[in-house]
Amino acid sequence: MRPLDRLGSIKTKLGVLVAVTVAVAAVLPLAGSRLGLDPLLTVPATVAVALLVTQLLARGMTSPLREMTAAARTMATGDYSRRVTASSRDEVGELARAFNTMAADLEAVDRQRRDLVANVSHELRTPVTALRALLENLADGVVDPDPEQLRTALEQTERLGHLVSDLLDLSRVDAGISALDAQPIEVRPFLDDAVREAALTGQPVRFAVSVEPSDLVVRADRARLHQLVANLLDNAARHSPDQGAVHVQARPGERGMVLEVSDEGPGIDPTQRTAVFERFTTGTGAGQHDGGTGLGLAIARWVTDLHGGSIEVADTTTGCRIRACLPENLPEGTPA
């Protein structure tokens, strides 16, 4: 029961509390004298009623503070699920709402930390196990160290290298130490180079680049932009069927350049279109793990955010189309 919750200031509540207490202390003795009651009975009764009214009104003012104290003790044990009642409109209510927001953020961070450990362990275990088995077979003489076996070992090592590189990129995101070296970039040659590098991964897909106009120039950080394009191409190639096509399109937009990378894969469920840009989210149209680290699209979103742009999964009838928008006006040395 919180009768003073409608009041928007703790000062107003204290004023009402004092006024009601004074009124009770003044009215009850007067009523007792008119009724002819003994003052020795009236005074203790007045004090008791005043204390009761004070307790009733003040309880609603202090209960959020008691709840926050209990919740903080619970959070100290690692349980971030507890919330406090934030129904009042005063400063204590604002503090309670801020406390609930903080608790929700801590719960999300704790969940992400647990997911990070679980997913990194999973991503590391697969190539390490395969590499260990291969090396044991080579050491025991079960298989000969022919080019095919060595190529398999190299692929697993490269997978580990990609994972470590992605984790280092995300550590820069968390540290906030990245800055942009903005410069004009000719889009067509840049995309052609990125596509040639993507083709070296051996994915059985075809890449097609379209830039309109052909002399389109974007102002961006070359290294970060390469991260964006490389991750989008890798994501599209892994989800495309054998001999499928990956289309890369760049064109002017309302605020700058629009870059779209589309594939002919199963697509992304509409309910997952936001989640795919979160770390270690590897959901596909079929709901299966696709062999990626789950960090590529998270890094792509970081790059677009760093440039002041945006990235989204665009509507398409077949496959998946990811659209990244980079603004035209980007100052030199923009901090992360």
Side-chain angles (χ1 to χ4, degrees):
M1 184 176 180
R2 299 181 178 181
L4 300 181
D5 276 358
R6 295 181 178 273
L7 301 179
S9 171
I10 192 69
K11 294 180 180 179
T12 304
K13 288 185 177 182
L14 291 174
V16 171
L17 178 62
V18 172
V20 171
T21 304
V22 171
V24 170
V27 171
L28 287 183
L30 180 61
S33 64
R34 289 185 178 182
L35 294 175
L37 299 178
D38 188 349
L40 295 178
L41 297 177
T42 304
V43 172
T46 300
V47 173
V49 173
L51 290 175
L52 180 62
V53 172
T54 302
Q55 177 67 19
L56 178 65
L57 296 179
R59 185 176 184 278
M61 297 169 56
T62 59
S63 57
L65 299 176
R66 293 193 297 271
E67 290 183 24
M68 280 186 276
T69 301
R73 290 172 179 168
T74 303
M75 291 167 62
T77 64
D79 182 7
Y80 303 100
S81 61
R82 188 162 178 176
R83 302 292 184 269
V84 300
T85 304
S87 59
S88 63
R89 302 177 181 178
D90 60 3
E91 293 84 353
V92 176
E94 293 178 1
L95 177 61
R97 284 185 284 273
F99 183 90
N100 287 338
T101 301
M102 180 192 69
D105 292 342
L106 289 175
E107 185 178 20
V109 169
D110 183 66
R111 182 172 60 252
Q112 290 176 355
R113 178 183 61 81
R114 296 175 186 273
D115 292 343
L116 173 67
V117 174
N119 284 288
V120 169
S121 299
H122 170 77
E123 294 295 340
L124 289 175
R125 182 176 62 247
T126 302
V128 168
T129 301
L131 191 58
R132 178 179 179 180
L134 177 60
L135 293 177
E136 287 179 347
N137 290 337
L138 291 174
D140 296 339
V142 177
V143 296
D144 296 326
D146 54 31
E148 181 179 356
Q149 299 296 331
L150 296 177
R151 190 178 304 110
T152 301
L154 179 61
E155 290 174 355
Q156 298 301 328
T157 304
E158 290 176 344
R159 183 175 179 183
L160 286 173
H162 288 318
L163 177 59
V164 172
S165 178
D166 289 345
L167 290 174
L168 288 175
D169 288 335
L170 288 181
S171 69
R172 298 190 188 101
V173 177
D174 293 334
I177 59 176
S178 297
L180 293 182
D181 179 18
Q183 55 183 283
I185 299 175
E186 295 183 14
V187 177
R188 181 69 198 216
F190 181 87
L191 292 181
D192 287 340
D193 291 341
V195 165
R196 278 193 291 270
E197 291 181 14
L200 297 177
T201 61
Q203 296 284 356
V205 296
R206 295 177 289 106
F207 293 95
V209 179
S210 173
V211 178
E212 294 293 339
S214 59
D215 59 349
L216 179 64
V217 175
V218 64
R219 185 174 176 80
D221 184 294
R222 178 175 291 273
R224 300 305 174 204
L225 186 59
H226 182 272
Q227 283 182 299
L228 169 66
V229 176
N231 279 295
L232 294 183
L233 292 176
D234 177 70
N235 180 75
R238 284 187 287 103
H239 287 86
S240 292
D242 290 350
Q243 307 309 318
V246 174
H247 297 275
V248 185
Q249 297 177 322
R251 67 178 188 276
E254 294 181 358
R255 297 178 52 228
M257 184 187 75
V258 176
L259 174 68
E260 292 184 344
V261 177
S262 56
D263 59 58
E264 299 175 347
I268 297 177
D269 190 278
T271 60
Q272 297 182 351
R273 288 188 174 183
T274 302
V276 293
F277 295 104
E278 299 296 331
R279 302 178 184 185
F280 295 107
T281 299
T282 56
T284 66
Q288 299 176 350
H289 193 280
D290 64 352
T293 64
L295 295 174
L297 292 182
I299 294 174
R301 184 178 65 176
W302 166 59
V303 173
T304 55
D305 290 345
L306 199 61
H307 284 78
S310 61
I311 189 170
E312 63 178 351
V313 179
D315 293 329
T316 181
T317 55
T318 59
C320 171
R321 176 182 298 172
I322 296 182
R323 178 182 297 142
C325 300
L326 300 179
E328 181 177 4
N329 298 320
L330 186 66
E332 293 275 1
T334 302

